[in-house]
Amino acid sequence: MASLNPLSSNLDLRKAKHLLRRASFTYTKEQIDTFVGMPAIAAVNSLTQASANALSAPYDPLPGDNPDGFWTFSPELPNSFEGQGRKRAQVTAWWWHNAMQQTTLKHKLSFFMHTSFVVGKDTGVGSATYFFDHINLLDFYALGNIKTLAKKITLDNGMLDYLDNTQNNKNNPNENYAREYLELFTVLKGEQIGPDNYTNYTESDIQQAAKVFSGIKKRPERTDIDTDTNIPMGYINVNQHDTDDKIFSSAFGNQVISGKDTELGILDELEDFVEMVFAQPETAKAYCRKLYRYFVKSHWNEQVETDIITPLAEILIANDYEILPVVTTLLSSEHFYDTDDSNATDNIIGGIIKSPLQLLSEVCSMFEVEYPDPTNNALFYYRNFFHYFIHNKYFPAAGMEFFNPDEVAGYPAYYQQPGFDRNWFGSNTLIGRYKLIESLIEGKNTISGGNIYAHLDAVTFVKNKIVNAADPNLLITEIADLLYPESIDDDRTNYFKSFLIDEGFPDYYWTGTWNKYLSNNDETTVKTRLNALIIAMINAAEFQLM
């Protein structure tokens, strides 16, 4: 029986790795060591703490002779700045660097919110500053309340542009946002049971929702500030709002939302609508299924639906859609660590293919990759390392447009049956994934050329992190125990050892080589060998899984 009971034993190495890589983008040996021996609930609770971001805002080091700098703080209209595509990429660079500075659920859940309330940063969200506000909104509620975010997102300037609600007027209704709000962002469709009837709502409900949303407009000047978040938001044009009563179908108990003709009254309509949608048990289940797919596994059976999804939905409802009670229950449960049954084919641990974002973040944090400091070397960080290499080359080659999914449904890994996370891995994305580690070790873009101004030092990593570096077998198993969800066998150890020792040479060849390096500090030979080993171990099938 699948169980949400708390894991009774303390975390061992295997479970500590599992929790850390599923719950955070930063993945370090030190944090793994901290988790080993801790009760699961204590470890999870430690991940719910988040300090202020290391970077308060993105910085544009261009144009070179007069940088736009912290343009998001400017009182100028956001669209008055040139290089909007570059600036949107810089917002993602700002977000990623902040995620690399904390071991916390915050950024993992912020990205989850992005997959739940999708915008494409380059496909309609507008100027880069609005995208910055949008990401700040996701960050603000990442450890908070989904229902409140579902209200606030309706007045988000970026969302208003992306799904056209700023064009939604009483005399010219635009149903785009209303449709996606029900179909993708909240309750979801359910099975179609009749013409224009999708079980959880009807086409008529979309039309009525669009009336609720009518008159909510983008504020280009960013002069309306939400008092709860201190983030700029849109506004309400009372004259363009449909003041008729909104009558919903039996899917929502035939509820009537009274039409209003004042700004406060229209906000009340929005409040009533969101409360109505979130009162549906299927809304809670929809979010819990998304959370399960994001944190645990892409596929599950009826037992998991009954014993895990449904109780989590009840917890979500009981806590008025606060996300942490659900996530902490799930991540500290017997089920999450696959100890609630004897079925060895469940494959929860090591059962998800890493996204390109997870792959990048794990490599950079585990190996302490030296990339330019965005505070002291903004040009090389924002332009050369992140924009030119990570954003423009690595992510597309690995099958991910960062914060810019092709569809409003999001990234196929989180919604597209039957592949789900398998969509990250294919013949067209393999080279991009494999070139990442080569590029970081060589310090150049091996996908298309150019200096990336970042470097992975394999020798320093082994010297500082691996206890038994002089023994080739123990060296490999220690690295594998850090990198892989499961331990490797002797055959795999011997395979990886071939990158350290030429065929036919005994183990002591490496021991002598390593000890010689320690005595004379000449890393020429060990660097070549360790670089080859790390490339092979990162590009192995075992590292593609988490």
Side-chain angles (χ1 to χ4, degrees), residues 476 484 488-497 536 540-542:
I476 290 165
Y484 301 155
I488 60 174
D489 59 23
D490 289 343
D491 287 342
R492 291 299 279 166
T493 300
N494 288 330
Y495 166 73
F496 290 125
K497 193 162 61 173
E542 292 93 333

Side-chain angles (χ1 to χ4, degrees), residues 311-328:
L312 287 176
E314 292 169 353
I315 293 171
L316 190 58
I317 292 169
N319 287 276
D320 200 27
Y321 284 88
E322 289 290 331
I323 196 169
L324 281 183
V326 173
V327 173
T328 55

Side-chain angles (χ1 to χ4, degrees), residues 1-4 285 289 292 300-314 335:
M1 174 172 145
S3 171
L4 283 174
K285 287 185 177 181
R289 293 182 188 115
Y292 189 91
W300 58 90
N301 57 26
E302 284 300 318
Q303 184 184 58
V304 169
E305 182 74 20
T306 300
D307 296 341
I308 305 296
I309 303 296
T310 298
L312 287 176
E314 292 169 353
H335 182 72

